[in-house]
Amino acid sequence: MRKILILIAAILLQSACTSQTAIIKEEANVSASKEEAPVNIILMIGDGMGVPQISTAFYFEDRTSNFERFKSIGFHKSSSTSHWITDSAAGATAFSIGEKTYKRAIGVSADTVPKETILEKLQDKGYKTGLISLTSITHATPASFYAHVKDRDMHEEIAEQLVVSNVDFFAGGGKKYFNQRKDAKNLFKELANRQYNVDTLALSKSNASTKNAFILTEEGLPSKNRWSW
């Protein structure tokens, strides 16, 4: 046993420098990977942003496009299961559930079966989630990440599902789907009962200690050229 221990000690002494160097490199790599880990992940979806729109950015004026800062750029077939030309609902649902579906579908498969979205998966893992839209927050694109309905125009049903979705922060338009409903419900009160900071007038700041709901216009928000800066 003593000879074995001496032999092990000799091997360890011979490799001490190499091992120490390896440990230092490994610790440096771990440290670097921790530093490079993203704090937040933002998925930005531009309405109608196809290849022509993106390629235009590369040739606009005499400056470098921000798209050239991306290390990777990919392409995907945008057709839905029912049409060659997709719409916002099927397009966003493909992003949110990871599979194609029919035109006008929100968070459901081609057979209208509700599917777990990436937002819901992240919530299950303890991540905070948020949605911002320049249209109604019940519009097809944002809705596809938290709602599950068979048609994109079911705005009142979509708004109800948003109330119980536990999204930590959302902002956009669509007030009428919350307080001018056919069933006479006031979903703003329900949000307040769920401890949301609710703002429909753009008077408050986001409160990090609670969930926040900013619904600021009846439908979509004004386009940027109508704001005064």
Side-chain angles (χ1 to χ4, degrees):
M1 178 63 70
R2 187 177 178 184
K3 290 181 179 179
I4 294 174
L5 290 176
I6 292 172
L7 178 60
I8 293 173
I11 293 171
L12 290 175
L13 284 171
Q14 290 174 358
S15 60
C17 293
T18 306
S19 299
Q20 188 63 30
T21 303
I23 290 170
I24 291 171
K25 287 183 178 179
E26 185 176 350
E27 289 177 349
N29 290 335
V30 170
S31 178
S33 64
K34 285 182 179 179
E35 290 177 1
E36 293 171 2
V39 177
N40 301 300
I41 297 174
I42 299 172
L43 172 61
M44 182 179 289
I45 301 176
D47 192 17
M49 186 178 284
V51 173
Q53 288 76 22
I54 292 174
S55 61
T56 299
F58 282 83
Y59 302 101
F60 181 72
E61 296 185 347
D62 294 324
R63 57 186 180 186
T64 303
S65 167
N66 282 328
F67 279 100
E68 294 189 49
R69 296 169 60 189
F70 289 106
K71 294 180 180 179
S72 302
I73 295 179
F75 293 89
H76 74 97
K77 294 180 180 178
S78 59
S79 59
S80 66
T81 59
S82 60
H83 293 75
W84 284 113
I85 300 175
T86 192
D87 71 329
S88 298
T93 295
F95 286 139
S96 70
I97 70 172
E99 64 180 73
K100 289 185 179 295
T101 188
Y102 62 92
K103 188 175 179 178
R104 303 187 68 83
I106 299 290
V108 297
S109 69
D111 297 322
T112 70
V113 177
K115 293 285 187 174
E116 187 178 33
T117 70
I118 187 171
L119 181 144
E120 292 165 338
K121 287 179 183 290
L122 290 171
Q123 285 180 329
D124 289 342
K125 293 181 179 293
Y127 287 87
K128 289 186 179 295
T129 56
L131 292 164
I132 299 176
S133 177
L134 295 179
T135 62
S136 167
I137 198 65
T138 61
H139 196 274
T141 302
S144 295
F145 289 85
Y146 66 83
H148 308 274
V149 295
K150 63 182 181 181
D151 189 273
R152 61 183 292 171
D153 281 345
M154 299 170 68
H155 289 279
E156 293 192 357
E157 291 84 349
I158 291 170
E160 277 194 279
Q161 292 188 31
L162 177 58
V163 171
V164 298
S165 68
N166 289 320
V167 174
D168 294 279
F169 178 97
F170 57 87
K175 283 200 288 189
K176 65 181 183 180
Y177 303 119
F178 291 80
N179 63 357
Q180 300 173 38
R181 299 166 52 85
K182 295 176 182 177
D183 57 14
K185 289 182 180 179
N186 187 332
L187 298 186
F188 291 130
K189 289 184 178 179
E190 293 190 26
L191 284 167
N193 291 336
R194 290 177 173 271
Q195 309 306 312
Y196 273 85
N197 168 40
V198 180
D199 189 341
T200 60
L201 299 172
L203 296 177
S204 66
K205 293 183 178 180
S206 174
N207 186 344
S209 64
T210 186
K211 293 182 173 67
N212 294 270
F214 290 77
I215 307 298
L216 306 177
T217 58
E218 293 300 318
E219 293 188 3
L221 275 68
S223 59
K224 65 180 180 181
N225 58 2
R226 289 176 57 191
W227 293 103
S228 9
W229 299 98

